[in-house]
Coordinates of all heavy atoms in Angstrom, one line a residue:
M1 N 16.5 7.8 -15.3 CA 17.0 7.8 -13.9 C 17.4 6.4 -13.5 O 16.6 5.5 -13.7 CB 16.0 8.4 -13.0 CG 16.6 8.8 -11.7 SD 15.9 10.2 -10.9 CE 16.0 11.6 -12.0
R2 N 18.6 6.2 -13.0 CA 19.1 4.9 -12.7 C 18.3 4.1 -11.8 O 17.9 2.9 -12.0 CB 20.6 5.0 -12.2 CG 21.2 3.6 -12.0 CD 22.7 3.8 -11.7 NE 22.9 4.2 -10.3 CZ 23.1 3.3 -9.3 NH1 23.2 2.1 -9.5 NH2 23.3 3.8 -8.0
L3 N 17.8 4.8 -10.7 CA 17.0 4.1 -9.7 C 15.7 3.5 -10.3 O 15.3 2.4 -10.0 CB 16.6 5.1 -8.6 CG 17.5 5.1 -7.3 CD1 16.9 6.1 -6.3 CD2 17.6 3.8 -6.7
R4 N 15.1 4.4 -11.1 CA 13.8 4.0 -11.7 C 14.0 2.8 -12.7 O 13.2 1.9 -12.7 CB 13.2 5.2 -12.4 CG 11.7 5.0 -12.6 CD 11.0 6.2 -13.2 NE 11.2 7.4 -12.4 CZ 10.9 8.6 -12.9 NH1 10.5 8.8 -14.1 NH2 11.1 9.7 -12.2
T5 N 15.1 2.9 -13.5 CA 15.3 1.8 -14.4 C 15.6 0.5 -13.7 O 15.1 -0.5 -14.1 CB 16.6 2.2 -15.3 OG1 16.4 3.5 -15.7 CG2 16.7 1.3 -16.5
E6 N 16.3 0.6 -12.6 CA 16.6 -0.6 -11.8 C 15.3 -1.2 -11.3 O 15.1 -2.4 -11.3 CB 17.6 -0.3 -10.7 CG 19.0 0.0 -11.1 CD 19.6 -1.2 -11.9 OE1 19.4 -2.4 -11.5 OE2 20.3 -0.9 -12.9
L7 N 14.4 -0.4 -10.8 CA 13.2 -0.9 -10.2 C 12.3 -1.5 -11.3 O 11.8 -2.6 -11.1 CB 12.4 0.3 -9.6 CG 11.1 -0.2 -9.0 CD1 11.3 -1.1 -7.7 CD2 10.2 1.0 -8.6
Q8 N 12.3 -0.9 -12.5 CA 11.5 -1.4 -13.6 C 12.0 -2.8 -14.0 O 11.2 -3.7 -14.3 CB 11.5 -0.5 -14.8 CG 10.5 0.6 -14.7 CD 10.7 1.8 -15.6 OE1 11.7 1.9 -16.3 NE2 9.8 2.8 -15.5
K9 N 13.3 -2.9 -14.0 CA 14.0 -4.2 -14.3 C 13.5 -5.3 -13.3 O 13.2 -6.4 -13.6 CB 15.5 -4.1 -14.3 CG 16.1 -3.8 -15.6 CD 17.6 -4.1 -15.6 CE 18.4 -2.9 -16.1 NZ 19.7 -2.9 -15.7
K10 N 13.5 -4.9 -12.0 CA 13.2 -5.8 -10.9 C 11.7 -6.2 -11.1 O 11.3 -7.4 -10.9 CB 13.4 -5.2 -9.6 CG 14.8 -5.0 -9.2 CD 15.5 -6.3 -8.9 CE 17.0 -6.1 -8.8 NZ 17.8 -7.2 -9.2
I11 N 10.8 -5.3 -11.4 CA 9.4 -5.6 -11.6 C 9.2 -6.6 -12.8 O 8.5 -7.5 -12.7 CB 8.6 -4.3 -11.7 CG1 8.5 -3.6 -10.4 CG2 7.2 -4.6 -12.2 CD1 7.9 -2.2 -10.4
Q12 N 10.0 -6.3 -13.9 CA 9.9 -7.2 -15.0 C 10.3 -8.6 -14.6 O 9.7 -9.6 -15.1 CB 10.7 -6.7 -16.2 CG 10.0 -5.7 -17.0 CD 10.9 -4.9 -17.9 OE1 12.1 -5.2 -18.1 NE2 10.4 -3.8 -18.5
E13 N 11.3 -8.7 -13.8 CA 11.8 -10.0 -13.3 C 10.7 -10.7 -12.5 O 10.4 -11.9 -12.7 CB 13.0 -9.9 -12.4 CG 14.3 -9.8 -13.2 CD 15.5 -9.5 -12.3 OE1 15.5 -9.9 -11.2 OE2 16.4 -8.8 -12.8
L14 N 10.0 -9.9 -11.7 CA 8.9 -10.5 -10.9 C 7.8 -11.1 -11.8 O 7.3 -12.2 -11.6 CB 8.2 -9.5 -10.0 CG 9.1 -9.0 -8.8 CD1 8.3 -7.9 -8.0 CD2 9.4 -10.2 -7.9
E15 N 7.5 -10.3 -12.9 CA 6.5 -10.8 -13.8 C 6.9 -12.1 -14.5 O 6.1 -13.0 -14.7 CB 6.2 -9.7 -14.9 CG 5.8 -8.3 -14.4 CD 4.5 -8.3 -13.6 OE1 3.7 -9.1 -13.9 OE2 4.4 -7.4 -12.8
K16 N 8.2 -12.1 -14.9 CA 8.8 -13.3 -15.6 C 8.6 -14.5 -14.7 O 8.3 -15.6 -15.3 CB 10.2 -13.0 -15.9 CG 10.9 -14.0 -16.8 CD 12.3 -13.4 -17.2 CE 13.4 -14.4 -17.0 NZ 14.7 -13.9 -17.0
Y17 N 8.8 -14.4 -13.5 CA 8.7 -15.6 -12.6 C 7.3 -15.7 -12.0 O 7.1 -16.4 -11.0 CB 9.8 -15.5 -11.5 CG 11.2 -15.6 -12.1 CD1 12.0 -14.5 -12.1 CD2 11.6 -16.8 -12.7 CE1 13.3 -14.5 -12.7 CE2 12.9 -16.8 -13.3 CZ 13.7 -15.7 -13.3 OH 14.9 -15.8 -13.9
R18 N 6.4 -15.1 -12.7 CA 4.9 -15.3 -12.3 C 4.7 -14.8 -10.9 O 3.9 -15.4 -10.1 CB 4.5 -16.7 -12.5 CG 4.6 -17.1 -13.9 CD 4.2 -18.6 -14.0 NE 4.6 -19.1 -15.3 CZ 3.8 -19.6 -16.2 NH1 2.6 -19.8 -15.9 NH2 4.2 -20.0 -17.4
L19 N 5.4 -13.8 -10.5 CA 5.2 -13.2 -9.2 C 4.5 -11.8 -9.3 O 4.8 -10.9 -8.6 CB 6.5 -13.0 -8.4 CG 7.2 -14.3 -8.1 CD1 8.6 -14.1 -7.6 CD2 6.4 -15.0 -6.9
S20 N 3.5 -11.8 -10.3 CA 2.9 -10.5 -10.6 C 2.1 -9.9 -9.4 O 2.0 -8.7 -9.2 CB 2.0 -10.6 -11.8 OG 1.1 -11.6 -11.6
G21 N 1.7 -10.8 -8.5 CA 0.9 -10.3 -7.3 C 1.8 -10.2 -6.0 O 1.3 -10.0 -5.0
A22 N 3.1 -10.5 -6.2 CA 3.9 -10.6 -5.0 C 4.1 -9.2 -4.3 O 4.1 -8.2 -4.9 CB 5.3 -11.1 -5.4
S23 N 4.2 -9.3 -3.0 CA 4.4 -8.1 -2.2 C 5.8 -7.6 -2.5 O 6.7 -8.3 -2.6 CB 4.3 -8.4 -0.7 OG 3.1 -9.1 -0.4
L24 N 5.9 -6.3 -2.5 CA 7.3 -5.7 -2.8 C 7.7 -4.8 -1.7 O 7.1 -3.8 -1.3 CB 7.1 -4.8 -4.1 CG 8.4 -4.1 -4.6 CD1 9.5 -5.1 -4.9 CD2 8.1 -3.2 -5.8
L25 N 8.8 -5.2 -1.0 CA 9.4 -4.4 0.0 C 10.6 -3.7 -0.5 O 11.5 -4.4 -1.0 CB 9.8 -5.3 1.2 CG 10.6 -4.6 2.3 CD1 9.8 -3.5 3.0 CD2 11.1 -5.7 3.3
I26 N 10.7 -2.4 -0.4 CA 11.9 -1.6 -0.8 C 12.5 -1.1 0.4 O 11.9 -0.3 1.2 CB 11.5 -0.5 -1.8 CG1 10.8 -1.1 -3.0 CG2 12.7 0.4 -2.2 CD1 10.1 -0.1 -3.9
L27 N 13.8 -1.5 0.6 CA 14.5 -1.0 1.8 C 15.4 0.2 1.3 O 16.3 0.0 0.5 CB 15.4 -2.1 2.3 CG 14.6 -3.3 3.0 CD1 15.5 -4.5 3.3 CD2 13.9 -2.8 4.2
A28 N 15.1 1.3 1.9 CA 15.9 2.5 1.6 C 17.1 2.5 2.6 O 17.0 3.1 3.7 CB 15.1 3.8 1.7
N29 N 18.2 1.9 2.2 CA 19.3 1.6 3.1 C 20.1 2.9 3.3 O 20.0 3.9 2.6 CB 20.1 0.5 2.6 CG 21.1 -0.1 3.6 OD1 20.9 0.0 4.8 ND2 22.2 -0.6 3.1
K30 N 21.1 2.8 4.2 CA 22.1 3.8 4.6 C 21.4 5.1 5.1 O 22.0 6.2 4.9 CB 22.9 4.1 3.3 CG 23.6 2.9 2.8 CD 24.6 3.2 1.7 CE 25.2 1.9 1.1 NZ 26.2 2.1 0.0
Q31 N 20.3 4.9 5.8 CA 19.7 6.1 6.4 C 20.5 6.7 7.5 O 20.3 7.8 8.0 CB 18.3 5.8 6.9 CG 17.3 5.4 5.9 CD 17.0 6.6 4.9 OE1 16.7 7.7 5.3 NE2 17.1 6.3 3.6
D32 N 21.5 6.0 8.0 CA 22.4 6.6 9.0 C 23.4 7.6 8.4 O 24.0 8.3 9.2 CB 23.2 5.4 9.7 CG 24.0 4.6 8.7 OD1 23.4 4.0 7.9 OD2 25.2 4.7 8.7
L33 N 23.5 7.6 7.1 CA 24.4 8.6 6.5 C 23.7 9.9 6.2 O 22.6 9.9 5.7 CB 24.9 8.0 5.1 CG 25.8 6.8 5.2 CD1 26.2 6.3 3.8 CD2 27.1 7.0 6.1
K34 N 24.4 11.0 6.6 CA 23.9 12.3 6.3 C 23.8 12.5 4.8 O 24.7 12.1 4.0 CB 25.0 13.3 6.8 CG 24.3 14.5 7.5 CD 25.4 15.4 8.1 CE 24.8 16.8 8.4 NZ 25.8 17.7 8.7
G35 N 22.6 13.0 4.4 CA 22.4 13.3 2.9 C 21.8 12.1 2.2 O 21.5 12.2 1.0
A36 N 21.5 11.0 2.9 CA 20.8 9.9 2.3 C 19.4 10.4 1.9 O 18.7 11.1 2.7 CB 20.7 8.7 3.2
L37 N 18.9 10.0 0.7 CA 17.5 10.3 0.3 C 16.6 9.6 1.3 O 16.8 8.5 1.7 CB 17.2 9.8 -1.1 CG 17.9 10.5 -2.3 CD1 17.5 9.9 -3.6 CD2 17.6 12.0 -2.3
T38 N 15.5 10.3 1.7 CA 14.6 9.7 2.6 C 13.7 8.7 1.8 O 13.6 8.8 0.6 CB 13.7 10.8 3.2 OG1 12.9 11.4 2.2 CG2 14.5 11.9 3.9
P39 N 13.0 7.9 2.5 CA 12.1 6.9 1.8 C 11.0 7.7 1.0 O 10.8 7.3 -0.1 CB 11.4 6.2 3.0 CG 12.4 6.2 4.1 CD 13.1 7.5 4.0
D40 N 10.5 8.8 1.5 CA 9.5 9.6 0.7 C 10.2 10.2 -0.6 O 9.5 10.2 -1.6 CB 9.0 10.8 1.6 CG 8.0 10.3 2.6 OD1 7.6 9.2 2.5 OD2 7.6 11.1 3.4
E41 N 11.4 10.6 -0.4 CA 12.1 11.2 -1.6 C 12.3 10.1 -2.7 O 12.1 10.3 -3.9 CB 13.4 11.8 -1.3 CG 13.2 13.1 -0.5 CD 14.5 13.7 0.1 OE1 15.4 12.8 0.4 OE2 14.7 14.9 0.2
I42 N 12.7 8.9 -2.2 CA 12.9 7.8 -3.1 C 11.6 7.3 -3.8 O 11.5 7.1 -5.0 CB 13.6 6.6 -2.4 CG1 15.0 7.0 -1.9 CG2 13.7 5.4 -3.3 CD1 15.7 6.0 -1.0
A43 N 10.5 7.3 -3.0 CA 9.2 6.9 -3.5 C 8.8 7.9 -4.6 O 8.3 7.5 -5.6 CB 8.2 7.0 -2.4
K44 N 9.1 9.2 -4.5 CA 8.8 10.1 -5.5 C 9.6 9.9 -6.8 O 9.1 9.9 -7.9 CB 9.1 11.6 -5.0 CG 7.8 12.3 -4.6 CD 8.0 13.7 -4.3 CE 7.0 14.2 -3.3 NZ 7.4 15.2 -2.4
V45 N 10.9 9.7 -6.6 CA 11.8 9.5 -7.7 C 11.4 8.2 -8.5 O 11.4 8.2 -9.7 CB 13.3 9.3 -7.2 CG1 14.2 8.8 -8.4 CG2 13.9 10.6 -6.7
L46 N 11.0 7.2 -7.7 CA 10.6 6.0 -8.4 C 9.1 6.0 -8.9 O 8.7 5.0 -9.5 CB 10.8 4.8 -7.4 CG 12.2 4.5 -7.0 CD1 12.2 3.4 -5.9 CD2 13.0 4.0 -8.2
N47 N 8.4 7.0 -8.5 CA 7.0 7.2 -8.9 C 6.2 5.9 -8.4 O 5.4 5.3 -9.2 CB 6.9 7.3 -10.4 CG 5.6 7.8 -10.8 OD1 4.8 8.4 -10.0 ND2 5.2 7.6 -12.1
L48 N 6.5 5.6 -7.2 CA 5.9 4.3 -6.7 C 4.4 4.3 -6.6 O 3.7 3.3 -6.9 CB 6.4 4.0 -5.2 CG 7.9 3.6 -5.1 CD1 8.3 3.4 -3.7 CD2 8.1 2.3 -5.9
E49 N 3.8 5.5 -6.4 CA 2.3 5.6 -6.3 C 1.7 5.1 -7.6 O 0.6 4.5 -7.6 CB 1.9 7.1 -6.1 CG 2.2 7.6 -4.7 CD 1.4 7.0 -3.6 OE1 0.3 6.4 -3.9 OE2 1.8 7.1 -2.4
N50 N 2.3 5.4 -8.7 CA 1.8 5.0 -10.0 C 2.4 3.7 -10.6 O 2.0 3.3 -11.7 CB 1.9 6.1 -11.0 CG 1.1 7.4 -10.5 OD1 0.0 7.3 -10.1 ND2 1.8 8.5 -10.5
M51 N 3.3 3.2 -9.9 CA 4.1 2.0 -10.4 C 3.1 0.8 -10.7 O 3.2 0.3 -11.8 CB 5.1 1.6 -9.4 CG 5.8 0.3 -9.7 SD 6.7 -0.4 -8.3 CE 5.4 -0.8 -7.1
D52 N 2.3 0.5 -9.8 CA 1.5 -0.7 -9.9 C 0.4 -0.6 -9.0 O 0.5 -0.5 -7.8 CB 2.4 -1.9 -9.5 CG 1.8 -3.2 -9.8 OD1 0.6 -3.3 -9.9 OD2 2.6 -4.2 -10.1
K53 N -0.8 -0.5 -9.6 CA -2.0 -0.3 -8.8 C -2.5 -1.5 -8.0 O -3.3 -1.5 -7.1 CB -3.1 0.2 -9.7 CG -2.8 1.5 -10.4 CD -2.9 2.7 -9.4 CE -2.7 4.0 -10.2 NZ -2.4 5.1 -9.3
I54 N -2.0 -2.7 -8.5 CA -2.4 -3.9 -7.8 C -1.5 -4.4 -6.8 O -1.9 -4.9 -5.7 CB -2.6 -5.0 -8.9 CG1 -3.7 -4.6 -9.9 CG2 -3.0 -6.4 -8.3 CD1 -3.6 -5.4 -11.2
R55 N -0.2 -4.3 -7.1 CA 0.8 -4.8 -6.2 C 0.8 -4.1 -4.8 O 0.7 -2.9 -4.8 CB 2.2 -4.7 -6.8 CG 3.3 -5.4 -6.0 CD 4.7 -5.1 -6.7 NE 4.6 -5.5 -8.1 CZ 4.7 -6.7 -8.6 NH1 4.8 -7.7 -7.7 NH2 4.7 -7.0 -9.9
H56 N 1.0 -4.9 -3.7 CA 1.2 -4.3 -2.4 C 2.7 -3.9 -2.3 O 3.5 -4.8 -2.6 CB 0.9 -5.3 -1.3 CG -0.6 -5.5 -1.1 ND1 -1.1 -6.3 -0.1 CD2 -1.6 -5.1 -1.8 CE1 -2.4 -6.3 -0.2 NE2 -2.7 -5.6 -1.3
W57 N 3.0 -2.7 -2.0 CA 4.4 -2.4 -1.8 C 4.6 -1.5 -0.6 O 3.6 -0.8 -0.1 CB 4.9 -1.7 -3.1 CG 4.2 -0.4 -3.4 CD1 3.1 -0.3 -4.2 CD2 4.4 0.9 -2.9 NE1 2.7 1.0 -4.3 CE2 3.5 1.8 -3.5 CE3 5.4 1.5 -2.0 CZ2 3.4 3.2 -3.2 CZ3 5.3 2.8 -1.7 CH2 4.4 3.6 -2.3
K58 N 5.8 -1.4 -0.1 CA 6.1 -0.6 1.0 C 7.6 -0.2 0.9 O 8.4 -1.0 0.5 CB 5.8 -1.3 2.3 CG 6.0 -0.4 3.6 CD 5.5 -1.1 4.8 CE 5.8 -0.2 6.1 NZ 4.8 0.8 6.2
I59 N 7.8 1.1 1.2 CA 9.2 1.5 1.3 C 9.5 1.9 2.8 O 8.8 2.6 3.4 CB 9.5 2.7 0.3 CG1 11.0 3.0 0.4 CG2 8.7 3.9 0.6 CD1 11.5 3.8 -0.9
V60 N 10.6 1.3 3.2 CA 11.0 1.5 4.6 C 12.5 2.0 4.7 O 13.3 1.4 4.1 CB 10.9 0.2 5.4 CG1 11.4 0.4 6.9 CG2 9.5 -0.3 5.4
G61 N 12.7 3.1 5.4 CA 14.1 3.5 5.7 C 14.8 2.6 6.6 O 14.2 2.1 7.5
C62 N 16.0 2.3 6.3 CA 16.8 1.3 7.2 C 18.3 1.6 7.1 O 18.7 2.5 6.3 CB 16.5 -0.1 6.8 SG 17.4 -0.6 5.3
S63 N 18.9 1.0 8.0 CA 20.4 1.0 8.0 C 20.9 -0.4 8.3 O 20.6 -0.9 9.4 CB 20.9 2.0 9.1 OG 22.3 1.8 9.3
A64 N 21.7 -0.9 7.4 CA 22.3 -2.2 7.6 C 23.3 -2.1 8.8 O 23.6 -3.1 9.4 CB 23.0 -2.7 6.4
Y65 N 23.8 -0.9 9.0 CA 24.8 -0.7 10.1 C 24.2 -0.8 11.5 O 24.6 -1.5 12.4 CB 25.6 0.6 9.9 CG 26.8 0.4 9.0 CD1 27.0 -0.7 8.2 CD2 27.8 1.4 9.0 CE1 28.1 -0.8 7.4 CE2 28.9 1.3 8.2 CZ 29.1 0.2 7.4 OH 30.2 0.1 6.6
T66 N 23.1 0.0 11.6 CA 22.5 0.1 13.0 C 21.3 -1.0 13.1 O 20.9 -1.2 14.3 CB 21.9 1.5 13.2 OG1 20.8 1.7 12.3 CG2 22.9 2.6 13.0
G67 N 20.8 -1.5 12.0 CA 19.7 -2.4 12.1 C 18.3 -1.7 12.1 O 17.3 -2.3 12.0
E68 N 18.4 -0.4 12.2 CA 17.1 0.4 12.2 C 16.3 0.1 11.0 O 16.8 0.1 9.9 CB 17.5 1.9 12.3 CG 16.3 2.9 12.3 CD 16.7 4.3 11.8 OE1 17.9 4.6 11.7 OE2 15.8 5.0 11.3
G69 N 15.0 -0.1 11.2 CA 14.0 -0.2 10.1 C 13.9 -1.6 9.5 O 13.0 -2.0 8.8
L70 N 14.9 -2.5 9.8 CA 14.9 -3.8 9.2 C 13.7 -4.7 9.7 O 13.0 -5.3 8.9 CB 16.2 -4.6 9.4 CG 17.4 -3.9 8.8 CD1 18.7 -4.6 9.1 CD2 17.3 -3.9 7.2
L71 N 13.5 -4.6 11.0 CA 12.4 -5.4 11.6 C 11.1 -4.9 11.1 O 10.2 -5.7 10.7 CB 12.5 -5.3 13.1 CG 11.8 -6.4 13.9 CD1 12.3 -7.8 13.5 CD2 11.9 -6.2 15.4
E72 N 11.0 -3.6 11.0 CA 9.7 -3.0 10.5 C 9.4 -3.5 9.1 O 8.3 -3.9 8.8 CB 9.8 -1.5 10.5 CG 8.5 -0.8 10.1 CD 8.7 0.7 9.8 OE1 9.7 1.3 10.2 OE2 7.8 1.2 9.1
G73 N 10.4 -3.5 8.3 CA 10.3 -3.9 6.9 C 9.9 -5.3 6.7 O 8.9 -5.7 6.1
F74 N 10.7 -6.2 7.4 CA 10.4 -7.6 7.2 C 9.1 -8.0 7.9 O 8.4 -9.0 7.5 CB 11.6 -8.4 7.6 CG 12.7 -8.4 6.6 CD1 13.8 -7.6 6.8 CD2 12.6 -9.1 5.4 CE1 14.8 -7.5 5.8 CE2 13.5 -9.0 4.4 CZ 14.7 -8.2 4.6
D75 N 8.8 -7.3 9.0 CA 7.5 -7.6 9.7 C 6.4 -7.3 8.7 O 5.4 -8.1 8.6 CB 7.4 -6.6 10.9 CG 6.6 -7.2 12.0 OD1 6.5 -8.5 12.1 OD2 5.9 -6.4 12.7
W76 N 6.4 -6.2 8.0 CA 5.4 -5.8 7.1 C 5.3 -6.9 6.0 O 4.2 -7.4 5.6 CB 5.7 -4.5 6.4 CG 4.7 -4.2 5.3 CD1 3.4 -3.7 5.4 CD2 4.9 -4.5 3.9 NE1 2.8 -3.7 4.2 CE2 3.7 -4.2 3.2 CE3 5.9 -5.0 3.2 CZ2 3.5 -4.3 1.9 CZ3 5.8 -5.2 1.8 CH2 4.6 -4.8 1.2
L77 N 6.5 -7.3 5.5 CA 6.5 -8.3 4.4 C 5.8 -9.6 4.8 O 5.0 -10.2 4.1 CB 7.9 -8.6 4.0 CG 8.1 -9.4 2.7 CD1 7.5 -8.7 1.5 CD2 9.6 -9.6 2.5
V78 N 6.2 -10.1 6.0 CA 5.6 -11.4 6.5 C 4.1 -11.2 6.6 O 3.3 -12.1 6.2 CB 6.3 -11.8 7.8 CG1 5.5 -12.9 8.4 CG2 7.7 -12.2 7.6
Q79 N 3.7 -10.1 7.3 CA 2.2 -9.9 7.5 C 1.5 -9.8 6.1 O 0.4 -10.4 6.0 CB 2.0 -8.5 8.2 CG 2.5 -8.5 9.6 CD 1.8 -9.5 10.6 OE1 0.6 -9.8 10.4 NE2 2.6 -10.1 11.5
D80 N 2.1 -9.1 5.2 CA 1.4 -8.9 3.9 C 1.3 -10.2 3.1 O 0.4 -10.4 2.4 CB 2.2 -7.8 3.1 CG 1.3 -7.2 2.0 OD1 0.4 -6.5 2.4 OD2 1.5 -7.5 0.8
M81 N 2.4 -11.0 3.3 CA 2.3 -12.3 2.5 C 1.3 -13.3 3.1 O 0.8 -14.2 2.5 CB 3.7 -13.0 2.6 CG 4.7 -12.3 1.7 SD 6.4 -12.8 2.1 CE 6.4 -14.5 1.8
M82 N 0.9 -13.0 4.4 CA -0.1 -13.9 5.0 C -1.5 -13.6 4.6 O -2.4 -14.3 4.9 CB 0.1 -13.9 6.5 CG 1.3 -14.6 7.0 SD 1.4 -15.0 8.7 CE 1.2 -13.5 9.5
I83 N -1.7 -12.4 4.0 CA -3.0 -12.0 3.6 C -3.4 -12.8 2.4 O -2.7 -12.9 1.4 CB -3.1 -10.5 3.2 CG1 -2.8 -9.6 4.4 CG2 -4.5 -10.1 2.6 CD1 -2.6 -8.1 4.1
P84 N -4.6 -13.6 2.5 CA -5.0 -14.5 1.4 C -5.3 -13.7 0.1 O -5.6 -12.6 0.1 CB -6.2 -15.2 1.9 CG -6.6 -14.6 3.2 CD -5.5 -13.6 3.6
Ligands
GTP1 N1 26.8 3.7 6.6 C1 26.3 2.7 6.0 N2 27.1 2.0 5.1 C2 26.5 0.9 4.6 C3 25.2 0.4 4.8 N3 25.0 -0.7 4.1 C4 26.1 -0.9 3.4 N4 27.0 0.0 3.7 C5 28.4 0.1 3.1 O1 28.3 0.5 1.8 C6 29.4 0.0 1.0 C7 28.8 -0.6 -0.3 O2 28.1 -1.7 0.1 P1 26.8 -2.2 -0.6 O3 25.8 -1.0 -0.6 O4 26.4 -3.5 -0.1 O5 27.2 -2.4 -2.1 P2 26.7 -1.9 -3.5 O6 25.2 -2.0 -3.5 O7 27.5 -2.6 -4.5 O8 27.2 -0.4 -3.5 P3 26.3 1.0 -3.4 O9 25.7 1.1 -4.7 O10 27.4 2.0 -3.1 O11 25.3 0.8 -2.3 C8 30.1 -1.0 1.9 O12 31.2 -0.4 2.4 C9 29.1 -1.3 3.0 O13 29.7 -1.6 4.2 C10 24.4 1.2 5.8 O14 23.3 0.9 6.1 N5 25.1 2.3 6.3

């Protein structure tokens, strides 16, 4: 599945740059479009629950057009990065 392969590539890149513990924010964009996969559906397709037991991750629905969800996503990322 293309989405899953792309995510695996991104995770390998994180490992390569020694970011194995880095927080991972996934923005499920284009939520303003009818028929867009929901964040829960994408999480299932990507098998996020089993992806990485150590890494902190979050998937947030958003729309680059309306701005919906962007603040929530980046707010989580900043908060998560501040956890020692
Ligand atoms: N409706 C809507 N359109 C968007 C959104 N974000 C980007 N687009 C549009 O989607 C088109 C493709 O842009 P991107 O998604 O940035 O480019 P891409 O990743 O190469 O293409 P896709 O794989 O189709 O997403 C452009 O016309 C953007 O204006 C969004 O949140 N909502």
Side-chain angles (χ1 to χ4, degrees):
M1 196 150 300
R2 188 172 72 96
L3 266 182
R4 201 179 300 168
T5 313
E6 288 301 319
L7 181 71
Q8 278 161 356
K9 266 196 232 157
K10 292 289 170 212
I11 289 171
Q12 276 166 10
E13 277 173 29
L14 288 178
E15 305 298 333
K16 190 168 130 197
Y17 295 110
R18 298 173 194 240
L19 291 167
S20 54
S23 311
L24 178 64
L25 169 66
I26 299 168
L27 293 170
N29 193 29
K30 303 188 185 180
Q31 291 299 309
D32 57 296
L33 292 180
K34 219 174 165 191
L37 289 181
T38 65
D40 282 352
E41 287 169 331
I42 294 172
K44 258 189 209 146
V45 170
L46 294 176
N47 195 18
L48 288 179
E49 290 292 341
N50 298 313
M51 170 192 67
D52 191 331
K53 300 285 185 196
I54 299 164
R55 186 184 307 284
H56 287 186
W57 60 267
K58 187 174 175 75
I59 184 162
V60 176
C62 75
S63 165
Y65 272 14
T66 67
E68 181 204 339
L70 294 176
L71 201 58
E72 182 194 342
F74 285 104
D75 205 31
W76 173 83
L77 190 59
V78 170
Q79 296 296 325
D80 202 68
M81 285 166 63
M82 288 198 301
I83 296 172

